[in-house]
Amino acid sequence: MSPGEVNWEGCEYSKCGRTDRGVSAFGQVIGIRVRSNRPLPKKKKEVVSEENGVEGNQELNEFNTLPRENAVEMASPALAPSKFKSEDGPSENLGLEDPDFEEALNFDPVADEIPYPSLLNRLLPPDIRILAWCPAPPLDFSARFSCRERRYRYFFTQPAFAPTPHQLEHPASSSSKVKDAWLDIAAMKEAAKMFEGLHDFRNFCKIDGGKQISNFERRMFYADIEEVNDSTSGLSFVNGTDFVPPGTVESGHPKVYTFKLHGSAFLWHQVRCMVAILFLVGQGLEKPSIVSELLNIEKNPGRPTYEMASDTPLVLWDCIFPREDDPERKDDMQWLYLGNGPGAGDAKYGSAGLMDDLWKVWRERKIDEMLAGSLIDVVSKQGNKVDELEAGKGTKGSRSQKVFDGGDSPKLQGAYIPVMKKPKMDAVDVINEKYAVRKGFESAEDLKLQGFRRLGKSSEGEAPILEDADE
């Protein structure tokens, strides 16, 4: 094994979702078999003395991370009983009638167990933290395949970027119903609701010919724009009459909003593509109906070449593991959160606890926010009054239009080209076919039949591995 390579054999490792570089995860879930404090049942073997031939028993204590035969292990009922197969059943071979198991049973699975979260948090880098663990995972648990719902949130501000006084705006912005930097939240909410249900999202993702994916249907359970309760800010200048859209009576800007999206599964870059379209709708550059147009793959089989949204504000918020017969999809995992259990308070609020770590992260960023906000507030009050400012000669008509994509500042471009008038990418089957031919196969069908083994993506005799790529 080469240096730095991890040997996962015997660990039964699985992970729920994958995220792009730059995307955060607050609710990522992994499954892994680890060492336990639970005593092992004592194995015995017969011993025969060569001198007097007396037979006896010798205790054997073996250590292994793999499941032991007849071992007592904590487990919950399977999430999908219809798919769970066991010849003997989950409890018929535990050997509970054997007195040697008494020590293994006289064990508190919480108080006597290794404090996994606090132990791992002392070893992990500061931007990775364990929040909870499950002492008794379901019998059929897989962090990837048992997950039936993944929840994402994408955060943004209102206004989206620093607004400009009316007299200094780009001509295109002045003629739009949405003022430069401000988002039409109502229009975004209308567009977001169109994502709900079962749809083909090939026009809302990045297509990788190497995966040879042909099914792009995914079910979105919930999609909406919601305001986030945020602390007061020093950026009160944006509430002045020279900055807010005409007729606005709201105050308290800037505000923070989030696009909440719950779905069964996601394609590569899907959420960022969806958010990009919502931002174009919010800026008045596209109508909410653009979502329906892009979901109509018969009319539009190739994705227009629009830019996807920035990755930083996107968070994998939660992963849900319901029972297969639960229509409400309630999480059925028995999570033990850090701090739960006897004597576990220090792991959460102690001098080296989780809250201490998170407070350091929050305070550093809060101080940065306060300093930057204070500086903006100071500068906004310096010099001439806003209504006295004038644009430079010959610059107003040539000033670039600003288009917001979720980043820290808008992108500058010339006249905006509507999404449906942008160049179209090849249809999915064309992309898959070109990839297969480029790799030396006769066709995409040929690659699916025998090519994946040649490319080393599946073992001999196994079916091709065709997996989705989450956001």
Side-chain angles (χ1 to χ4, degrees):
M1 187 168 62
S2 61
E5 185 178 347
V6 179
N7 182 8
W8 296 105
E9 184 178 357
C11 296
E12 299 180 12
Y13 173 77
S14 63
K15 61 182 180 296
C16 180
R18 292 159 290 176
T19 56
D20 295 337
R21 184 185 301 273
V23 176
S24 302
F26 287 2
Q28 178 66 281
V29 175
I30 67 167
I32 190 169
R33 179 173 289 278
V34 293
R35 179 170 60 88
S36 171
N37 272 343
R38 179 183 292 277
L40 290 174
K42 297 175 181 177
K43 288 186 177 182
K44 299 179 180 180
K45 73 174 183 179
E46 293 184 351
V47 178
V48 180
S49 172
E50 294 181 357
E51 297 180 358
N52 51 27
V54 177
E55 295 184 358
N57 290 327
Q58 176 180 332
E59 293 184 358
L60 294 178
N61 290 315
E62 299 177 354
F63 176 79
N64 196 328
T65 58
L66 295 172
R68 289 72 148 186
E69 182 180 359
N70 294 333
V72 177
E73 294 189 342
M74 296 288 291
S76 300
L79 294 173
S82 64
K83 300 179 181 178
F84 182 72
K85 297 179 180 180
S86 176
E87 296 179 358
D88 301 319
S91 61
E92 294 180 7
N93 62 348
L94 294 181
L96 301 184
E97 71 285 351
D98 189 336
D100 289 331
F101 278 84
E102 182 177 353
E103 183 180 359
L105 291 172
N106 187 23
F107 175 82
D108 188 316
V110 176
D112 297 336
E113 189 53 277
I114 297 173
Y116 296 109
S118 57
L119 177 64
L120 290 170
N121 285 339
R122 290 197 294 269
L123 303 174
L124 291 168
D127 57 344
I128 301 178
R129 285 293 177 264
I130 306 297
L131 306 181
W133 70 289
C134 181
L139 287 168
D140 60 345
F141 181 76
S142 165
R144 179 184 175 192
F145 295 108
S146 299
C147 183
R148 293 293 178 267
E149 181 177 329
R150 293 170 175 83
R151 298 176 177 179
Y152 283 92
R153 295 190 184 184
Y154 193 101
F155 293 86
F156 59 94
T157 60
Q158 172 76 319
F161 51 88
T164 306
H166 303 316
Q167 69 273 23
L168 302 180
E169 282 187 310
H170 186 276
S173 301
S174 302
S175 60
S176 172
K177 68 174 183 178
V178 182
K179 178 175 169 55
D180 205 16
W182 295 83
L183 300 171
D184 186 339
I185 301 298
M188 293 178 69
K189 290 172 70 71
E190 179 183 348
K193 282 299 176 184
M194 296 179 185
F195 288 126
E196 293 183 349
L198 182 64
H199 302 287
D200 188 307
F201 286 95
R202 68 184 62 196
N203 289 330
F204 290 94
C205 71
K206 184 176 180 179
I207 298 174
D208 180 5
K211 297 292 184 182
Q212 293 289 299
I213 298 175
S214 57
N215 180 12
F216 292 83
E217 285 192 343
R218 301 294 183 271
R219 185 177 296 278
M220 299 297 114
F221 302 116
Y222 180 83
D224 203 358
I225 307 290
E226 298 181 6
E227 184 176 347
V228 178
N229 292 329
D230 189 37
S231 59
T232 57
S233 168
L235 310 184
S236 58
F237 77 96
V238 302
N239 296 299
T241 56
D242 294 292
F243 293 94
V244 300
T248 299
V249 295
E250 291 182 279
S251 60
H253 293 103
K255 295 182 177 182
V256 177
Y257 286 85
T258 182
F259 171 49
K260 296 177 67 173
L261 184 65
H262 304 170
S264 59
F266 292 86
L267 299 160
W268 193 17
H269 296 324
Q270 180 181 335
V271 181
R272 292 169 63 187
C273 288
M274 296 166 75
V275 172
I277 296 300
L278 292 181
F279 283 148
L280 295 177
V281 171
Q283 294 170 89
L285 300 173
E286 299 285 349
K287 296 180 180 179
S289 59
I290 184 65
V291 172
S292 297
E293 290 188 65
L294 291 172
L295 290 175
N296 187 346
I297 62 166
E298 293 183 0
K299 181 181 177 182
N300 302 294
R303 182 173 85 86
T305 55
Y306 61 86
E307 295 290 331
M308 62 183 175
S310 175
D311 53 4
T312 305
L314 179 59
V315 179
L316 174 60
W317 196 261
D318 206 358
C319 300
I320 308 299
F321 299 85
R323 294 184 60 82
E324 66 176 352
D325 56 352
D326 181 9
E328 297 183 1
R329 304 182 307 282
K330 294 180 181 178
D331 192 78
D332 198 57
M333 297 291 289
Q334 302 174 22
W335 294 115
L336 187 69
Y337 290 92
L338 198 141
N340 293 147
D346 288 343
K348 187 172 184 178
Y349 285 101
S351 57
L354 178 63
M355 294 301 290
D356 257 13
D357 289 342
L358 297 181
W359 183 273
K360 293 175 184 177
V361 174
W362 172 82
R363 185 185 181 280
E364 178 183 359
R365 287 157 176 76
K366 188 64 179 179
I367 295 299
D368 288 343
E369 176 197 348
M370 292 174 59
L371 293 176
S374 297
L375 179 59
I376 292 178
D377 201 40
V378 168
V379 173
S380 69
K381 298 173 181 177
Q382 293 176 339
N384 293 340
K385 295 181 179 180
V386 173
D387 57 4
E388 298 174 352
L389 297 176
E390 297 179 359
K393 293 182 179 180
T395 60
K396 183 173 181 179
S398 60
R399 193 174 287 116
S400 297
Q401 185 173 2
K402 300 176 181 178
V403 178
F404 179 66
D405 68 347
D408 293 330
S409 59
K411 292 185 177 179
L412 303 179
Q413 65 175 49
Y416 175 74
I417 301 176
V419 168
M420 301 312 297
K421 293 184 178 181
K422 293 179 182 292
K424 304 290 195 305
M425 297 175 63
D426 289 332
V428 172
D429 54 349
V430 176
I431 294 176
N432 288 341
E433 191 76 13
K434 286 184 176 179
Y435 176 87
V437 173
R438 190 167 66 249
K439 291 297 181 179
F441 301 96
E442 293 182 1
S443 64
E445 188 64 26
D446 180 35
L447 181 132
K448 291 180 181 179
L449 289 175
Q450 56 87 28
F452 275 84
R453 286 192 292 274
R454 181 150 46 111
L455 290 176
K457 293 192 177 183
S458 66
S459 301
E460 185 67 24
E462 293 182 350
I465 300 174
L466 302 177
E467 61 180 23
D468 290 351
D470 292 339
E471 176 58 47

